[in-house]
Amino acid sequence: MRLFPTRTAALGALTLLAACGGDGGTTPTRLTAAQVAGTYQVCELRFSPANTILPTADLLTSAVDTTPPPGRLKFTVAFSQTGEYDLIYTRASDAFTQQARGSVSYGEQHVSISLPSNSAITSELLLPRPLNLRFTGTGGNRLTADVSDNLQYPVNRADYARAAGVSDEGLQPTINGRLTARLAVNGCS
């Protein structure tokens, strides 16, 4: 049986589509829980107000005890292979351990952490809900949030003032800003 050129081209196209998973190769590859899994040390966490007159709040010096006493935990975020996270740190003001757990969504290059709303942790650390982090798997797994990656979001003025070490007198009820964060599996360097 002899195939005509158009029929041969059509069969070749169908073969290519089948090799691409049937979607023509347009579906981006998503990160998996296994790729991201691990315990990440939080190396940087800053909230930068949109109003540049206001100082940046460095949460690792104001809210978190980065050298906790014996028996207390360092600031880490662990990601499981089942799509969950566990955020834990020792609060600087009273050495109490703070913990949040929840689910993770995976994108092409980002992970999104579902944070509890109206919690002491999200208020104390000035975290957006959800928290989106860019994943880099080369040279040791890293997660980052850069001010250019994140949209502005509001935080309560009292929470911002406490974290930035300023008076909340004269501040708007909410302060808009962006988060900068850096997390690494193999320690901060």
Side-chain angles (χ1 to χ4, degrees), residues 7 27 40-41 48 55 62 67 71 77 85 91-92 104 106-107 122 139 145 149 157-158 172 181:
R7 194 169 185 193
T27 303
Y40 294 74
Q41 183 176 347
S48 300
S62 64
T67 55
V77 181
Y85 77 89
R91 185 187 292 150
V104 180
Y106 301 92
T122 53
D149 290 341
R157 78 175 177 194
Q172 297 292 321

Side-chain angles (χ1 to χ4, degrees), residues 110-125:
H110 288 79
V111 296
S112 182
I113 299 173
S114 173
L115 294 161
S117 60
N118 300 320
S119 80
I121 292 170
T122 53
S123 297
E124 184 171 69
L125 298 180

